[in-house]
Amino acid sequence: MGSQAGEIRVSQGGVVTRRSGFVVAAVVLGVAALGCAGSPQRLKLAAGPQGGTWYPLAGALKNVLERHVGGAWVQVVPGGGVANVMAIEIGRADLALANSVSTVDALNGERPFKARARNICNLATLYPQYFQVVTLAGSGIDSPAAFRGRALATQPRGNTGEAITLHLLRAYGLTYADLSRVSFGNYTDSVTLMQDGNAQIFTLGTSVPASSVMELASARAVELVGIPDDGLKRMQAINAGYTRTVIPAGTYTGQDRDVPTIGYATHLIGRCSLDSRVVTEILTGVLVSLDSLSAVTRAIRQASPASMSADIGVPMHPAATVWYRQHGVELVTAR
């Protein structure tokens, strides 16, 4: 039977509306709902210093998020492990790349953080990180205990690599005052200082191989300084999040042996108040884009829902917990 005069049949979600007055209201509400769903999501993503792994990775993540998160527009800003955690906590960033050890320090209110962080949730563990201590060949520096009186190049204050460097010095009874000079700069600055002989030690925390170390090794003969078991234990007494990891032989030119060092994880964090739909679409986008992301950071290729949900001592965003369960992973509460 056909519609009566002045009536229109409209089907939305299986509901048929017949009266024209209600049709207008239903259409207006439907358009409004679509407008909300497609409204721009302005997301600020905190990355790392230029010359490091995080900066290009953040650029690749920007492309992934803008492709998979409805209406997203992502602004990438430079930062560092410690600074990024602070940026999330005070609302200056929505998403950030972070290092597990720094995030745990923030949650516990440990230095360099002045109070316990309350607004930081884990979204995904992406790949392992390596703390790397690089020296010029022939420098005679074969242990962190030999740093005294030498010139150090490390990252700016507020970067996880710099914070770990402080922990390492503390573990061996040293401070910056015990060194001849300390330069705080990006990886490019540190490589230049090492190439020119104005620094004998370069410390950084990133994936392997690190492009900055590869660049340095192509110009100067370098050596990696290992951190032995007793050094690891001292570091773990400062931050329990440190783990043993090894830089495999052959990672860098002239490196003919495995080098034991300290490990931790790079993970993606966000505001705990971040919209659940956005979190779900972020995780889906990352999972289906591992190949393109690994073109920037090779280590991320091995990521899976199981590894992405690893308990690193940081609470999961509630929407992330739901997403992981939907992908067959039951989470253990971080704290």
Side-chain angles (χ1 to χ4, degrees):
M1 182 174 63
S3 299
Q4 299 178 14
E7 293 186 344
I8 303 174
R9 292 180 183 268
V10 178
S11 176
Q12 280 194 327
V15 177
V16 177
T17 305
R18 291 188 178 184
R19 295 182 181 178
S20 57
F22 291 113
V23 169
V24 173
V27 170
V28 170
L29 288 173
V31 171
L34 288 173
C36 291
S39 59
Q41 293 285 341
R42 300 177 66 87
L43 300 173
K44 185 174 288 186
L45 170 61
Q50 294 185 7
T53 302
W54 281 5
Y55 203 79
L57 176 59
L61 280 170
K62 167 184 167 69
N63 294 334
V64 168
L65 301 187
E66 290 181 343
R67 192 161 57 245
H68 292 278
V69 178
W73 179 82
V74 180
Q75 178 187 4
V76 175
V77 295
V82 173
N84 288 0
V85 175
M86 291 179 173
I88 293 290
E89 176 65 13
I90 65 178
R92 290 186 179 174
D94 305 291
L95 301 164
L97 292 167
N99 287 313
S100 55
V101 287
S102 294
T103 310
V104 170
D105 275 345
L107 294 173
N108 293 330
E110 299 288 344
R111 297 174 67 180
F113 303 96
K114 297 181 180 179
R116 290 176 179 266
R118 303 292 183 187
N119 190 34
I120 298 170
C121 280
N122 192 23
L123 300 186
T125 296
L126 299 178
Y127 58 88
Q129 290 275 60
Y130 301 75
F131 183 63
Q132 302 172 59
V133 180
V134 186
T135 64
L136 297 177
S139 66
I141 302 172
D142 57 1
S143 163
F147 285 7
R148 187 183 300 274
R150 302 305 185 97
L152 167 71
T154 190
Q155 284 76 77
R157 294 184 185 273
N159 183 282
T160 296
E162 186 268 337
I164 297 175
T165 300
L166 272 178
H167 286 176
L168 183 64
L169 291 173
R170 177 178 162 191
Y172 283 85
L174 301 171
T175 68
Y176 284 146
D178 294 310
L179 308 182
S180 63
R181 181 173 62 186
V182 180
S183 300
F184 304 94
N186 59 35
Y187 295 147
T188 302
D189 295 336
S190 295
V191 168
T192 299
L193 288 168
M194 292 286 284
Q195 287 178 336
D196 295 343
N198 293 318
Q200 293 87 49
I201 310 161
F202 174 26
T203 59
L204 69 164
T206 187
S207 58
V208 296
S211 58
S212 55
V213 179
M214 292 175 67
E215 178 186 352
L216 175 60
S218 69
R220 295 286 300 265
V222 299
E223 297 174 350
L224 296 180
V225 176
I227 299 175
D229 289 344
D230 65 327
L232 172 62
K233 290 179 181 178
R234 296 177 195 176
M235 295 288 282
Q236 289 173 328
I238 298 171
N239 185 308
Y242 290 122
T243 60
R244 165 63 74 215
T245 190
V246 174
I247 302 173
T251 298
Y252 299 113
T253 301
Q255 181 198 345
D256 58 3
R257 60 183 178 87
D258 291 347
V259 177
T261 189
I262 292 166
Y264 49 100
T266 280
H267 62 137
L268 182 65
I269 59 174
R271 292 182 289 104
C272 292
S273 56
L274 203 59
D275 183 81
S276 295
R277 178 186 66 83
V278 171
V279 171
T280 299
E281 292 176 354
I282 287 172
L283 293 175
T284 300
V286 169
L287 184 62
V288 302
S289 305
L290 292 177
D291 282 347
S292 62
L293 293 173
S294 66
V296 178
T297 304
R298 186 172 59 186
I300 205 171
R301 181 182 296 274
Q302 303 302 319
S304 68
S307 67
M308 290 164 62
S309 63
D311 181 5
I312 55 173
V314 182
M316 278 288 180
H317 189 287
T321 298
V322 172
W323 187 88
Y324 287 116
R325 284 175 179 164
Q326 290 173 342
H327 286 75
V329 181
E330 282 296 328
L331 303 185
V332 177
T333 302
R335 52 171 191 150

